[in-house]
């Protein structure tokens, strides 16, 4: 999904629970990550969140928010990986207050993943998660997002990639894992909002002025 389509979708979802929750989630990422380069992304060993890391990085860079550029924490980066893809588990040992760990796990997380998250939380790091509602992951998270519970009725989104039947391999255009993937796009856009960087009371005051005047403040 490109930026134009994601932005239009976000506008269309304005006022829905999915639109509101993803915006709140993205704003919270900005608000609670106060250390430079303190936003880390982490996931299952076989499904590391490359997609969301890339989109967050693109959106934050486009918005000029250079101090929050995300890091993808990998289970076993190869020795010849470029620097931005060579961040291993040792990064989690250095995590602490003022930093955030965003966990992306569409399937039920393994115990090894949950143990790592628990260790990071005990060091004072804020834990965010986008998942399937797993109780253990939810209990470890300060803020959690479960896309499949928020998808508006009638959108017909699937939760898995479903290739078109009987298509040649080079011609397959799979339907995206729409609910889960779209939520990640919306979070990326929200985290890069100018509003997300404002103090909470300033944002509430601005919204109140706009409601009273009918004009943007």
């Amino acid at each position: 999904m490109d930026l134009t389509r994601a932005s239009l979708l976000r506008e269309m979802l304005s006022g829905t629970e999915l639109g509101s929750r993803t915006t709140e989630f993205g704003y919270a990422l900005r608000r609670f990550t106060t250390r430079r380069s303190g936003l880390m992304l982490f996931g299952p060993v076989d499904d590391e969140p490359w997609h969301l890391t890339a989109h967050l990085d693109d959106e934050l860079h486009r918005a000029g928010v250079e101090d929050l550029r995300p890091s993808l924490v990998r289970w076993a980066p190869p020795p010849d990986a470029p620097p931005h893809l060579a961040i291993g588990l040792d990064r989690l040992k250095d995590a602490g207050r003022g930093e955030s760990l965003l966990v992306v796990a569409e399937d039920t997380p393994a115990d090894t993943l949950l143990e790592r998250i628990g260790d990071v939380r005990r060091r004072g790091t804020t834990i965010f998660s986008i998942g399937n509602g797993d109780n253990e992951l939810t209990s470890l998270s300060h803020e959690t997002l479960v896309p499949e519970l928020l998808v508006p009725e009638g959108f017909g989104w699937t939760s898995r990639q479903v290739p078109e039947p009987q298509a040649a391999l080079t011609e397959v255009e799979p339907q995206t894992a729409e609910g889960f993937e779209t939520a990640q796009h919306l979070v990326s856009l929200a985290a890069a909002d100018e509003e997300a960087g404002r103090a909470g009371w300033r944002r509430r005051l601005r919204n109140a002025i706009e409601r009273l005047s009918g004009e943007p403040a």
Side-chain angles (χ1 to χ4, degrees):
M1 183 184 298
D2 60 28
L3 174 62
T4 300
R5 184 182 171 196
S7 299
L8 288 173
L9 182 59
R10 186 182 181 208
E11 183 177 348
M12 183 173 65
L13 289 169
S14 177
T16 67
E17 190 173 7
L18 179 61
S20 299
R21 282 290 297 122
T22 50
T23 295
E24 292 168 2
F25 193 91
Y27 283 14
L29 277 176
R30 287 276 296 275
R31 188 167 66 251
F32 287 100
T33 309
T34 56
R35 286 177 57 180
R36 186 176 181 86
S37 302
L39 176 57
M40 302 164 285
L41 279 82
F42 191 44
V45 65
D46 59 348
D47 192 17
E48 295 176 327
W50 302 76
H51 180 85
L52 180 53
T53 305
H55 281 289
L56 270 171
D57 190 63
D58 287 345
E59 298 305 330
L60 291 169
H61 176 63
R62 187 177 290 112
V65 186
E66 300 297 333
D67 57 347
L68 197 67
R69 303 285 291 277
S71 301
L72 174 65
V73 179
R74 305 181 64 190
W75 288 85
D80 58 348
H84 69 290
L85 297 177
I87 301 170
L89 297 176
D90 285 346
R91 175 66 179 90
L92 299 180
K93 297 178 183 178
D94 296 330
R97 297 188 182 280
E99 296 188 301
S100 297
L101 181 69
L102 173 51
V103 180
V104 183
E106 187 171 4
D107 296 320
T108 300
D111 289 343
T112 50
L113 176 59
L114 294 170
E115 289 168 5
R116 298 283 183 177
I117 298 167
D119 290 343
V120 173
R121 178 178 170 128
R122 283 189 287 273
R123 295 189 184 96
T125 302
T126 304
I127 308 297
F128 293 83
S129 65
I130 303 177
N132 65 0
D134 175 77
N135 289 334
E136 291 190 72
L137 179 57
T138 299
S139 68
L140 287 170
S141 304
H142 296 92
E143 186 82 18
T144 188
L145 188 68
V146 184
E148 67 181 82
L149 300 181
L150 304 173
V151 175
E153 185 177 356
F155 270 67
W157 286 342
T158 58
S159 60
R160 293 292 175 197
Q161 289 192 344
V162 183
E164 294 179 0
Q166 298 179 344
L169 184 60
T170 56
E171 297 173 352
V172 172
E173 294 182 1
Q175 299 176 19
T176 57
E178 294 185 51
F180 202 80
E181 181 179 328
T182 297
Q184 296 177 57
H185 280 283
L186 298 176
V187 167
S188 299
L189 290 169
D193 272 356
E194 182 181 355
E195 287 283 303
R198 294 179 176 169
W201 71 269
R202 292 182 185 276
R203 191 161 54 243
R204 289 192 295 272
L205 177 61
R206 173 189 170 91
N207 291 341
I209 292 172
E210 289 182 355
R211 285 196 299 270
L212 290 172
S213 67
E215 296 290 337

